[in-house]
Amino acid sequence: MSASTAPEVAPLPLPAVRFGTDGVRGSANEDLTPEVALALGRALVTVLSEEGEKRPSILVGRDPRWSGDMLEAAMIAGITSAGGDAVSVGVLPTPGVAYLTARSTAGAGVMLSASHNPVGDNGIKFFGPDGFKLSDDEEARIAELYATGSPRRPVSTRIGRRLADPAAIARYIEHLTSAVDVDLVGLRVVVDGANGAASSVAPQVYRQLGAEVVTIHCSPDGANINDRCGSTHPEVVRQAVLTDGADLGIAHDGDADRLVAVTHRGDIVDGDALLAILARQAHLTGRLAHGNVVTTVMTNLGFHHAMRGLGIDVLTTPVGDRYVLEMMRERGLTLGGEQSGHLIDLDHATTGDGVLAALEILEIMRTTGSTLAELAEVMQRLPQVLVNIPDVDRDAVAGSERVAAAVRRAEARLGDAGRVLVRPSGTEPLVRVMVEAPEQAMAEEVAAAIATAVREDCGVRG
């Protein structure tokens, strides 16, 4: 068939993108395709150009999951095709990309990661030149340009270039080790890197400060990230600590912005307890800005009771570290976090940093001469049940009278001794039901009743 008679083939339309609480996320090569990454890269450069950047430079990092190579190549193609320079920093924790962006002349940073999600997923997170996540308005402008198509298509030497920064990891490690003043000699630590972005960085940092480090799940092969390991499976590092007789265990997630720890006795210390430890120490040393700490509606009631006893005011946001961060910046506060292990210290970082948080906990252990188990006694947790409900219409939950009635019955039963929270996930296609009660059995019974109402009234219709 000659060129003159060849049929025209219309390009496939780009799928819609949705910015959640942590950027764009989806199934790699299905929801999150190379075409999506390319278009988002071009849209980002267009936004920066609208703000006066003639040839914007954008840092690009990723976690080691299989689809990272593909999406990194597409993102870089999008950036350079729109006239921006893409600086590849390779496999690096999300907070590392944020830190390096803020301390460079880059107009933005991009992290390719689905955090704690399984290997089949991936995501795109954007950071501004200050290292903070982009605002809702900035993300909305990128989404608008993505949907309408970016007009920027420079040619010749006005096309951008791909650059590399091989010293990026070393600079991030130097930042972490200089953020604390602690000698870890004599401490034996088990580190679970989730076969993710922390697998190289975290053990190096703890060893440089003198700790004896035992590593598990620090051998990423692209397919094993978050696979029954890391901060979402703390029972794994718990078993390693007990078997090894270590002083504590540290578990990160796929992009290392989370931390969950384990005591020498095998007790799991989640983000609530870790935040309580950090808040108490900051309060005692006069470093807790305005005497406030920020957390989310998912935080255990035991945390609130502990902070009240210490004279610390707790400010609460919707679930998502971006909302915690927004309130911290609005109120001039420095410390906040989530139960999941996102811990934010604005004195040293612009986003949650699991390795930094671990170092700060280790510093408190050394300063006070206390074990992690002793420090964790700062709060007493109420029994909490979390039920994740897939395959339902998460947008219909808020308007369901049946679900609302189930919640009212639960709240009447619990009174002031517990609480209920029903919410759609901001990062996964789930509805989450959380119940706290004086007794575990009661929490489970109440959560099951509400979950049944969600499934029966909000199930996805065929």
Side-chain angles (χ1 to χ4, degrees), residues 175-182 205 209 348 356 358-361 363:
H175 155 66
L176 291 170
T177 56
S178 64
V180 293
D181 182 14
V182 61
V205 169
L209 293 173
H348 298 291
L356 174 64
L359 291 175
E360 291 178 332
I361 294 294
E363 185 178 34

Side-chain angles (χ1 to χ4, degrees), residues 56-422:
S57 176
I58 300 169
L59 267 63
V60 181
R62 63 181 182 87
D63 70 24
R65 71 185 65 223
W66 204 297
S67 57
D69 288 332
M70 173 185 74
L71 293 176
E72 180 186 38
M75 175 60 66
I76 290 174
I79 291 169
T80 54
S81 72
D85 286 335
V87 182
S88 174
V89 296
V91 173
L92 198 67
T94 289
V97 173
Y99 168 79
L100 293 169
T101 299
R103 281 153 183 78
S104 70
T105 58
V110 177
M111 179 66 184
L112 303 170
S113 174
S115 189
H116 60 284
N117 283 27
V119 66
D121 292 343
N122 215 322
I124 301 175
K125 309 178 189 183
F126 294 111
F127 295 98
D130 55 3
F132 289 101
K133 291 180 180 179
L134 297 185
S135 67
D136 290 343
D137 289 343
E138 289 169 319
E139 289 184 341
R141 178 57 178 154
I142 291 173
E144 178 187 4
L145 287 168
Y146 166 89
T148 59
S150 168
R152 292 180 58 82
R153 195 176 292 276
V155 296
S156 187
T157 57
R158 293 191 295 276
I159 294 172
R161 301 186 66 189
R162 178 193 181 277
L163 308 171
D165 185 357
I169 293 178
R171 293 203 306 281
Y172 176 54
I173 289 176
E174 196 279 330
H175 155 66
L176 291 170
T177 56
S178 64
V180 293
D181 182 14
V182 61
D183 182 347
L184 301 181
V185 172
L187 271 183
R188 186 170 175 85
V189 184
V190 177
V191 178
D192 185 340
N195 291 316
S199 296
S200 173
V201 168
Q204 286 187 62
V205 169
Y206 305 135
R207 285 184 177 124
Q208 279 192 27
L209 293 173
E212 184 180 356
V213 177
V214 178
T215 59
I216 60 173
H217 305 293
C218 287
S219 302
D221 62 10
N224 58 3
I225 188 170
N226 299 319
D227 185 9
R228 292 165 292 181
C229 58
S231 63
T232 55
H233 293 275
E235 69 279 0
V236 176
V237 73
R238 174 185 184 276
Q239 186 57 54
V241 167
L242 293 175
T243 300
D244 187 80
D247 295 297
L248 74 158
I250 294 170
H252 299 296
D253 65 331
D255 69 336
D257 62 356
R258 294 188 185 192
L259 167 67
V260 172
V262 174
T263 72
H264 70 285
R265 299 190 304 229
D267 302 317
I268 295 171
V269 186
D270 69 3
D272 286 349
L274 293 170
L275 183 61
I277 293 169
L278 294 171
R280 178 176 62 180
Q281 186 69 11
H283 179 63
L284 293 174
T285 55
R287 295 184 295 105
L288 188 64
H290 306 295
N292 291 167
V293 64
V294 183
T295 189
T296 78
V297 293
M298 288 292 289
T299 292
N300 193 275
L301 276 177
F303 177 87
H304 293 267
H305 296 161
M307 295 300 99
R308 188 181 305 123
L310 292 167
I312 298 172
D313 291 330
V314 180
L315 303 180
T316 305
T317 76
V319 173
D321 63 312
R322 71 178 298 123
Y323 302 122
V324 172
L325 186 55
E326 285 173 3
M327 181 171 284
M328 291 171 65
R329 297 181 71 188
E330 288 171 2
R331 305 290 182 92
L333 307 179
T334 54
L335 185 63
E338 291 189 285
Q339 186 182 87
S340 61
H342 286 119
L343 300 167
I344 306 170
D345 176 2
L346 289 186
D347 284 335
H348 298 291
T350 56
T351 188
D353 190 326
V355 181
L356 174 64
L359 291 175
E360 291 178 332
I361 294 294
L362 289 165
E363 185 178 34
I364 294 171
M365 289 173 61
R366 284 303 211 204
T367 300
T368 62
S370 302
T371 65
L372 178 59
E374 292 168 338
L375 293 176
E377 292 173 358
V378 64
M379 67 166 279
Q380 299 300 313
R381 169 176 302 281
L382 267 71
Q384 185 182 82
V385 171
L386 178 63
V387 180
N388 293 323
I389 310 168
D391 303 323
V392 294
D393 183 354
R394 59 182 179 177
D395 296 325
V397 171
S400 169
E401 176 54 34
R402 181 169 180 178
V403 173
V407 170
R408 287 195 296 270
R409 288 192 296 271
E411 290 176 336
R413 179 180 178 185
L414 294 171
D416 294 334
R419 64 181 180 132
V420 173
L421 178 66
V422 180

Side-chain angles (χ1 to χ4, degrees), residues 18-80:
R18 173 183 177 182
F19 280 90
T21 56
D22 205 16
V24 176
R25 194 173 294 185
S27 176
N29 217 27
E30 183 178 4
D31 307 312
L32 194 57
T33 65
E35 292 84 358
V36 169
L38 187 145
L40 285 172
R42 299 190 74 224
L44 175 61
V45 174
T46 302
V47 169
L48 295 176
S49 299
E50 291 174 346
E51 296 173 351
E53 294 270 357
K54 292 184 178 179
R55 190 183 183 90
S57 176
I58 300 169
L59 267 63
V60 181
R62 63 181 182 87
D63 70 24
R65 71 185 65 223
W66 204 297
S67 57
D69 288 332
M70 173 185 74
L71 293 176
E72 180 186 38
M75 175 60 66
I76 290 174
I79 291 169
T80 54

